[in-house]
Amino acid sequence: MRPVASLTDFENEIVDEIVLFDAQNSSAREILCCLTPDGASEIARAVGSINRVELPLSLEDVLSAGEGVRLFHNHPSQGSLSATDWWQSIRWQGKADLIAINSKRTIFSGAARNLTALTYLLERIDLDTIRDDGEYALYAAPCPPNAHSIKPIARHLISHLLNIQLLDKGLVHYDFQLSEEDRVIWNACSNLGVWPIVAAEMNKSL
């Protein structure tokens, strides 16, 4: 998996296109752009339904042949890679790099690393439930009265923190590039000491 910082010019154009799609997308539909491993050209694309998009049949053939791909898609939820994304990476034996982009132009990138351990974890637990536990911890975390307003706008970054934990456990490859807006939110919560509390709560189930 290539670092987010090494996106090609064409890949950055795709990211901009996805951000524009999101800005014009009032129904939370997902778009998927499938690129070659070198990020130089597009193989296929698809527009799906609300919070869901299926892989094009032409891409299924590419992956079945053992070739790698880079899957760029939007996340109307604004969050990082989901359990569905990780299952896709497992299905294709880590050959598919998954890149999720939110409307702020934050980029989350990942691929399965330890297929056996990641499969075991996803079969055993529900990442959505763990994320919900993290959200509860976020709202319950003590902070000054004038700082509580940061919590609602930080919710979407809980999945990012969860994926950092999966990275630390050696289960996935994971990289990211926070937008300026998300970086300010992330740093504000870090300065308040919120993220360690959220991480500790989620780690109880990992």
Side-chain angles (χ1 to χ4, degrees):
M1 190 190 84
R2 286 193 283 107
V4 173
S6 69
L7 291 184
T8 65
D9 290 342
F10 182 67
E11 287 175 324
N12 274 303
E13 290 175 10
I14 292 293
V15 170
D16 290 339
E17 187 176 340
I18 290 175
V19 171
L20 179 60
F21 175 88
D22 243 6
Q24 300 171 340
N25 175 25
S26 60
S27 58
R29 298 172 72 194
E30 286 202 13
I31 183 172
L32 173 67
C33 300
C34 314
L35 276 58
T36 53
D38 60 5
S41 60
E42 185 173 321
I43 301 170
R45 73 168 53 195
V47 175
S49 57
I50 298 175
N51 292 321
R52 184 175 180 83
V53 63
E54 299 292 340
L55 295 177
L57 291 178
S58 57
L59 184 63
E60 297 272 0
D61 293 337
V62 171
L63 287 165
S64 296
E67 300 176 33
V69 294
R70 308 253 298 159
L71 305 179
F72 287 72
H73 63 295
N74 65 322
H75 265 192
S77 67
Q78 307 303 312
S80 184
L81 298 171
S82 64
T84 301
D85 291 321
W86 293 125
W87 275 121
Q88 287 286 5
S89 187
I90 290 170
R91 178 185 178 192
W92 300 115
Q93 303 292 300
K95 296 183 180 70
D97 292 347
L98 302 165
I99 300 96
I101 301 105
N102 72 17
S103 62
K104 303 175 181 64
R105 209 184 187 281
T106 285
I107 304 170
F108 305 105
S109 177
R113 180 180 179 184
N114 187 327
L115 298 175
T116 301
L118 182 59
T119 299
Y120 175 75
L121 182 139
L122 293 178
E123 289 177 340
R124 183 172 56 88
I125 63 173
D126 182 354
L127 290 188
D128 289 340
T129 299
I130 294 178
R131 189 190 63 227
D132 290 344
D133 291 342
E135 185 173 335
Y136 176 82
L138 171 69
Y139 281 103
C143 65
N146 63 349
H148 281 286
S149 61
I150 194 69
K151 293 180 177 181
I153 61 175
R155 289 174 57 241
H156 68 285
L157 291 174
I158 294 173
S159 57
H160 170 50
L161 179 60
L162 177 55
N163 285 331
I164 290 175
Q165 290 179 284
L166 298 183
L167 170 68
D168 290 343
K169 292 179 181 297
L171 301 177
V172 302
H173 299 287
Y174 184 66
D175 194 25
F176 57 92
Q177 186 177 84
L178 298 181
S179 67
E180 179 61 29
E181 182 178 348
D182 276 343
R183 188 161 55 250
V184 168
I185 295 169
W186 179 266
N187 290 342
C189 287
S190 294
N191 293 336
L192 290 168
V194 168
W195 292 134
I197 296 172
V198 176
E201 181 62 34
M202 294 193 294
N203 198 50
K204 293 176 182 178
S205 301
L206 290 176

